[in-house]
Amino acid sequence: MKTCTSLEEVRNKIDELDDKLVELISERSHYIKQAASFKNSVDEIKADDRIEFIKQKVRHKAIQLEVSPNMISELFTIMINEMVETEIAEFRNKDTF
């Protein structure tokens, strides 16, 4: 990580990271939509074991990187819940075309 020399530089770096975060979330979302084509039911989409595994994995990573595991867990919970809904919609529409 670069050491900034002004508030403006810090803000610019944060803005760059925000853009990258949105790009990564978008990429993740596209993979989630692809995953729907490999699943056979809505219950399979709501894979509680997989969701719990992801949450534990990111909490552990957050601890390693010295960032709040609670914050990361909450962010991922929101993201996963939204993406599960997206995947369900994709699953229900996969045979309509």
Side-chain angles (χ1 to χ4, degrees):
M1 176 175 36
K2 179 184 178 187
T3 301
C4 298
T5 58
S6 70
L7 180 58
E8 181 180 2
E9 187 177 8
V10 168
R11 288 180 174 163
N12 287 336
K13 290 296 180 190
I14 290 170
D15 290 346
E16 288 174 19
L17 289 172
D18 289 346
D19 289 345
K20 288 178 184 178
L21 284 169
V22 172
E23 290 170 9
L24 289 170
I25 291 168
S26 173
E27 184 176 356
R28 188 183 197 281
S29 182
H30 290 293
Y31 283 114
I32 293 296
K33 289 176 183 177
Q34 286 184 42
S37 67
F38 298 103
K39 299 191 179 169
N40 299 309
S41 70
V42 170
D43 287 337
E44 199 174 343
I45 292 169
K46 296 178 180 180
D48 292 333
D49 291 345
R50 173 72 177 151
I51 291 169
E52 189 56 35
F53 171 78
I54 293 167
K55 287 182 185 180
Q56 290 303 316
K57 182 179 76 159
V58 298
R59 282 183 68 81
H60 181 71
K61 187 69 172 179
I63 291 166
Q64 287 178 331
L65 296 174
E66 298 180 355
V67 68
S68 168
N70 292 337
M71 178 187 65
I72 295 300
S73 183
E74 287 182 39
L75 289 169
F76 268 78
T77 297
I78 292 166
M79 181 174 64
I80 289 168
N81 288 342
E82 291 296 322
M83 289 188 180
V84 163
E85 292 304 315
T86 297
E87 189 175 357
I88 290 170
E90 194 73 19
F91 174 79
R92 288 184 172 147
N93 291 325
K94 72 179 180 180
D95 295 325
T96 58
F97 296 103

